Amino acid sequence: MKQVTPFLMFQDGNAEEAMNFYTSLIEDSEITSISRFGSEGPGEEGKVFQATFSLKGQEFMCFDSFINHNFSFTPSFSVFLTCDTEEELDELFEKLSEGGDVLIPLDNYGFSQKFGWVNDRFGISWQINLP
């Protein structure tokens, strides 16, 4: 086994938009590769066939599904962010929750100084923590 990589399947054709959003929010992050569906398909031409991006060194893979599945993202899988400052946490929480859903509002729940949990506008779940 070479590695273990989280894989995100986007059903609304917004994998590239999501990658751009995430890499713009989190420093030391980048899109490392992207290939697209061509005119021959099977997905919509120009959409993400396969892509990789890294967030603070953690690699992710993703693609735009050309099959409509009866499932999507769920909070049972989330990305856990450990922040250095309260300002960083507040900014990330605000930006990730825009157009999304707050699952647990920012507060001190006893296990850290401040914690919040949000589903972003793409359906990805994020736990944001200030230890």
Side-chain angles (χ1 to χ4, degrees), residues 70-120:
N70 291 328
F71 56 86
S72 187
F73 300 116
T74 156
S76 65
F77 176 86
S78 60
V79 180
F80 193 93
L81 302 176
T82 302
C83 296
D84 291 326
T85 66
E86 186 170 5
E87 293 76 25
E88 179 185 39
L89 179 141
D90 289 341
E91 182 180 342
L92 285 168
F93 190 86
E94 179 185 335
K95 289 180 179 177
L96 288 168
S97 62
E98 287 174 8
D101 296 308
V102 173
L103 302 177
I104 297 177
L106 287 175
D107 206 345
N108 180 333
Y109 294 99
F111 53 84
S112 67
Q113 293 180 51
K114 201 170 189 181
F115 174 85
W117 196 331
V118 61
N119 282 348
D120 69 23

